[in-house]
Amino acid sequence: MQHTVVMTGASRGIGRIAADHILRRSPDVHLVVVARGSSGAQLAAELGANGHAVTPVAADLGSLDSVRSAATEISDRLDRGELPPLRGFVGNAGMQYTNALTEGPDGFESTFAINVLANHALVRLLEDHFVSPARIVITVSDTHFGDFKHNMGMVPGPAWQSPDVLARTGAFPEPDTTTAGRTAYSTSKLAAIYLVHEYARRLPAGIDAVAYNPGFVPGTGLTRNAGPVSRFAMRRIMPVMTLTPFATSRTAAGRYLADLVLGTTQAPTGSYVDRSRPAPSSQESYDPRRERELWDTAERLTVVHAA
């Protein structure tokens, strides 16, 4: 039966590989790719080259007004029957900055806006259109563990604070540094896991929500805002680490993501899926008080942009 899957972050890296796998392995999927500006049209043309059904919807994920417009467009197309029933959402887009001072048009720190608030707004604005069985997959990161085993000392662990503080620039010490930017990233991924737990509690039965950790994947566009030395290392030097257990190749990470979206990898709602299998996330990531506080804050920060 034909169904719609909405996906962010499909234009490059593991998202592009996952999108190819999803379309090739499930001809019934109509993929809606949410991408910035006119890039979505080119992406849709490339993904749909072999007759696959792909629809682009433009959005700047750093702007909640733009996210709302995208969700409204998708909802309208679903209501008019231009898209088949909605059974999936993949929040794969993510950003890491070289500081914690980058501010989006809504006044929110951009890492938090893109990695947390944009996903939440899309999930909530599309929630009433999901048809059971449906699956929401949010890409997270094992940097949220904050230990050497999971980040090899490259990314500081999360530094949790009130979500109202995390949503604004300057939340971390020396906010103009790369360390602060990376701390904002790991903290945003911890926040995403918290929201997945809340979705599992609050969404109607039959709509599952899972967090996907691809592991350390060299060669993606995640560090595209970093300096030239860091970008060179990630593109040319770090990929050799995929020959070790410490890293995942883009090909494998994209395939694992597709497996999770398509249900090949089975995981109960609220799960943390480490590459190809459900696993415990960090001890810190299980905190109902923080989860409720983050939910309430995300609702308050995004509600003025909702229809």
Side-chain angles (χ1 to χ4, degrees):
M1 178 180 177
Q2 268 214 323
H3 59 278
T4 295
V5 173
V6 176
M7 185 173 186
T8 69
S11 60
R12 58 167 65 88
I14 67 174
R16 176 58 182 270
I17 293 166
D20 282 325
H21 272 278
I22 291 167
L23 291 167
R24 187 168 65 251
R25 291 161 49 190
S26 183
D28 289 338
V29 167
H30 188 126
L31 189 65
V32 174
V33 290
V34 179
R36 183 189 290 269
S38 61
S39 64
Q42 177 63 32
L43 174 62
E46 294 172 1
L47 289 171
N50 293 321
H52 302 301
V54 186
T55 296
V57 172
D60 173 3
L61 297 179
S63 163
L64 288 174
D65 281 335
S66 182
V67 169
R68 178 193 176 225
S69 295
T72 299
E73 179 179 344
I74 295 167
S75 297
D76 288 347
R77 292 188 181 193
L78 288 164
D79 289 339
R80 292 194 297 264
E82 297 173 8
L83 294 171
L86 178 64
R87 293 189 185 274
F89 171 75
V90 188
N92 180 63
M95 185 60 72
Q96 181 182 135
Y97 291 90
T98 56
N99 58 61
L101 294 173
T102 306
E103 186 176 272
D106 304 296
F108 301 129
E109 192 275 321
S110 292
T111 312
F112 194 85
I114 294 169
N115 297 357
V116 182
L117 295 180
N119 281 330
H120 185 70
L122 284 166
V123 167
R124 295 288 280 145
L125 289 167
L126 295 174
E127 179 180 336
D128 291 342
H129 289 84
F130 283 107
V131 176
S132 176
R135 173 168 279 188
I136 294 165
V137 180
I138 307 296
T139 299
V140 294
S141 168
D142 52 8
T143 59
H144 84 277
F145 280 89
D147 57 17
F148 187 85
K149 175 183 176 182
H150 292 90
N151 63 28
M152 294 170 286
M154 294 185 294
V155 179
W160 191 258
Q161 302 181 65
S162 162
D164 278 306
V165 174
L166 296 175
R168 305 295 176 178
T169 58
F172 307 102
E174 300 181 325
D176 59 332
T177 64
T178 300
T179 296
R182 291 175 177 171
T183 303
Y185 175 78
S186 62
T187 305
S188 75
K189 294 304 185 178
L190 176 62
I193 296 172
Y194 285 151
L195 284 179
V196 165
H197 293 165
E198 282 296 299
Y199 297 149
R201 295 186 188 104
R202 295 172 184 264
L203 293 178
I207 305 175
D208 294 343
V210 294
Y212 167 63
N213 167 47
F216 173 56
V217 185
T220 69
L222 185 64
T223 57
R224 56 188 174 274
N225 285 319
V229 174
S230 294
R231 294 200 306 270
F232 176 82
M234 284 294 289
R235 287 198 310 267
R236 304 299 182 187
I237 299 174
M238 292 298 183
V240 74
M241 294 185 67
T242 59
L243 302 176
T244 76
F246 296 105
T248 313
S249 70
R250 284 182 296 175
T251 299
R255 185 178 72 251
Y256 293 148
L257 177 54
D259 288 343
L260 190 55
V261 173
L262 295 174
T264 305
T265 297
Q266 297 185 0
T269 188
S271 293
Y272 174 83
V273 176
D274 182 11
R275 300 168 180 85
S276 61
R277 60 182 179 82
S281 48
S282 71
Q283 184 175 351
E284 185 181 8
S285 70
Y286 300 96
D287 190 323
R289 183 189 62 80
R290 288 184 181 179
E291 291 161 2
R292 287 192 298 270
E293 182 184 19
L294 177 61
W295 173 278
D296 290 343
T297 302
E299 289 284 282
R300 174 165 44 80
L301 295 181
T302 61
V303 70
V304 294
H305 302 277

